[in-house]
Each structure stands twice: as C-alpha cells, then as structure tokens.
Amino acid sequence: MAVKLLITGGNGFIARNLNEQLGGEYEVTACGSQELNLLDTEKVYDFLKHHHFDVVIHTSTYDPAPRHSTKDPTKVLEYNLKMFFNLVRAKDHFGKMLYLGSGAEYDRLHWSPRMKEECFDQYVPSDQYGFSKYIMSKYALLHKNIFDLRIFSVFGKYEDWRYRFISRACCCALFDLPVTIKQNVKYDFLYVDDLVKIVKWFIENKPQKQIYNVCSGQAIDFFSLAQIVAKIAGKPLKTVVKSEGLGVEYSGDNDLLLSEMGAGDFTPMVESIKALYDWYSLNRQLINKAELA
C-alpha cells in the first residue's frame, strides 16, 4: 500500500515541487487554503482524523516579508502558530509530521556563518516570523513524531521571481535588464530538487533527532550568483550593488543531517541555476517585465 502524504500550502512554491516530484511514488493529497483552511481548528482535526495520513508535510506559512505581499504583518505570530497547532493537536491520527522551519529561529539579529543546531535557543527571535518558528521548534523537541526541517534559502521553479534573488536574476537576464543588489551578502542556497530528495529521506526513514538544518552547507554571495547567471545566459549582465561591504551571512551547518543521510549529493550551483534559467526561458509568459524594472 502506498504511503499517504498530506502536503499543506499546496499552491506554494515548495509544495508544488514536492507534489510534482513525489506524486508518482506516494499517495499525495496537496491542500491549499481553499481545500483546507488551516486556521479552522475543527475542520483540520476532522480532516486528519478521517484520512489517517502516514506523513504530514507542513509547508504553509504566513510571511508578509516580500514587498509585494498584502498580508497583515501583525498576524504573523498568531496565524503561523494557529496553523501549526491545529495540525499537531491531531498528532495521534497521523504517523509523523515534517514541517519547514527557518534559520530565522536563530534570531536575525544574531546570525553567524554556518550556524549549528546547538545555536538554537541562545536567543529568542525578535521578529514575529522567527518567534513563531522558534515556538514550533520548542514543541517539536518534546514530541517524537514532529520534525523540524530547518531551511535557509531554497530556490527553484514556481518561486516568486519578483523578489527571490536567483529567479529575479534569471528573469533580468532574459529581458536584458540589470540586476540590482541592495548589499552583497552570502546565503546558503539549496536547490528545491535537492530539498525534495531530503524530504523523501525523512518520509522513508526514522530520524534520530527532532530538528535538522536542511541546507547545502555552502554559502555564496549574490554578486557571484549574478555572474553565474550572466555566464549561463551568455550576456553581459550589468550588476549594480547599491551599498558597499558584505552583509550578515545567512548559512547553516548541515553535518547532523549528513551524518544520518550519508554524503550529500547536492546539485552543483551552476547546474541548478542553468535548469532554472532554461525553465524561465520556456515560461517567459509568466514574467511581467515591468515588475523587474
């Protein structure tokens, strides 16, 4: 019998990739807010009690950070926690839950390069988003069937090209527009196809811990990424950096993850960016050039 998966946030970038790549191997139910309102306590409980999923993959999040967002920033803590706890209160009716945490759990004001899992709880996050993820992690530590896959910067097709840097750079290159960087900074980027492989490992195996940094373990700066895009596009892509210096690095240590999964077989950055650039080349109609200017 096929493993039954529930993926929340079904219309989101990561959920769409998970559904697309895992649908052929598992019995997948992907729900957006129209199919299952995670803020509705009773409906969520009844849905989980009725379906008895083997694995719940919680990707849905309430984050108004992007400048294009119309979400209410005062509701971040309330909505993220309500969605999470509406799911986990039904934990006796599913096998295990994998949810997407965030490096914001370490507190944005105290980020340092290659943060280890042991850095967690040295500070309480000062922002609502990080604080909501922090509380979820505290809960996961107490429950054996709840796992925090703490992601940093995931990129790939279906993400919002208007503000996600690698996708935006690819789109700018397609339309011969300059790439603008507020300040150069190093981020730990993980290709979404590699995230899907990691999630699959968590579906099929019994993790020894409750929280893992799910990242590549390698940081790369935005300017270098823009140069990679330019080379792939074969164009003299102009890159404008507005502020001097290097911003605070956002990266994680993935030694714990690799110690259980084995050596990480991550897609090389050039290869993954080329795949993304080629995808945008085939889907130019999705991009509004005016929003890149």
Side-chain angles (χ1 to χ4, degrees), residues 76-95:
V76 174
L77 181 65
E78 175 188 346
Y79 285 1
N80 275 338
L81 291 181
K82 185 169 286 187
M83 289 190 292
F84 176 79
F85 284 106
N86 280 345
L87 290 166
V88 299
R89 71 188 289 265
K91 63 184 180 299
D92 293 336
H93 299 292
F94 56 75

Side-chain angles (χ1 to χ4, degrees), residues 71-290:
K71 294 179 179 178
D72 182 352
T74 68
K75 295 292 185 180
V76 174
L77 181 65
E78 175 188 346
Y79 285 1
N80 275 338
L81 291 181
K82 185 169 286 187
M83 289 190 292
F84 176 79
F85 284 106
N86 280 345
L87 290 166
V88 299
R89 71 188 289 265
K91 63 184 180 299
D92 293 336
H93 299 292
F94 56 75
K96 60 185 173 186
M97 175 171 152
L98 313 174
Y99 77 92
L100 300 184
S102 169
E105 296 167 35
Y106 292 123
D107 185 28
R108 300 173 192 268
L109 299 179
H110 296 91
W111 281 345
S112 60
R114 288 184 57 82
M115 292 175 285
K116 293 179 176 289
E117 285 83 357
E118 291 82 359
C119 295
F120 176 70
D121 208 18
Q122 291 182 2
Y123 302 97
V124 175
S126 54
D127 64 289
Q128 284 201 28
Y129 181 78
F131 188 43
S132 68
K133 295 293 186 177
Y134 169 91
I135 293 172
M136 295 176 201
S137 291
K138 288 293 229 178
Y139 184 88
L141 287 169
L142 301 175
H143 298 274
K144 294 298 183 183
N145 68 333
I146 312 294
F147 299 92
D148 176 3
L149 308 189
R150 184 180 287 144
I151 61 175
F152 289 74
S153 296
V154 179
F155 74 98
K157 65 180 183 181
Y158 306 137
E159 69 179 346
D160 193 331
W161 50 266
R162 296 173 298 176
Y163 74 98
R164 295 290 187 181
F165 182 75
I166 296 178
S167 278
R168 185 177 177 84
C170 288
C171 294
C172 285
L174 278 174
F175 289 94
D176 300 308
L177 296 171
V179 174
T180 300
I181 301 171
K182 289 182 179 180
Q183 184 180 31
N184 199 19
V185 63
K186 287 184 176 182
Y187 270 29
D188 186 328
F189 283 97
L190 179 67
Y191 186 39
V192 71
D193 287 12
D194 294 328
L195 174 62
V196 173
K197 294 174 186 176
I198 293 170
V199 169
K200 182 179 177 183
W201 184 89
F202 276 90
I203 291 170
E204 298 181 350
N205 293 275
K206 185 177 181 180
Q208 298 303 304
K209 304 289 185 179
Q210 303 309 120
I211 301 175
Y212 295 83
N213 286 341
V214 174
C215 55
S216 70
Q218 301 292 325
I220 183 170
D221 67 279
F222 283 19
F223 187 83
S224 296
L225 289 167
Q227 300 306 109
I228 292 173
V229 171
K231 187 173 182 179
I232 289 170
K235 298 179 179 182
L237 185 63
K238 182 180 179 181
T239 304
V240 179
V241 181
K242 290 188 173 182
S243 299
E244 295 182 359
L246 198 62
V248 178
E249 183 171 322
Y250 182 43
S251 61
D253 183 301
N254 63 0
D255 286 350
L256 178 61
L257 176 72
L258 298 186
S259 70
E260 291 193 38
M261 285 186 57
D265 184 20
F266 297 109
T267 308
M269 184 60 71
V270 173
E271 181 180 329
S272 58
I273 292 179
K274 185 179 186 308
L276 183 59
Y277 181 83
D278 289 345
W279 185 81
Y280 279 115
S281 297
L282 294 172
N283 293 275
R284 294 170 68 105
Q285 76 280 1
L286 300 176
I287 307 161
N288 182 356
K289 181 180 177 181

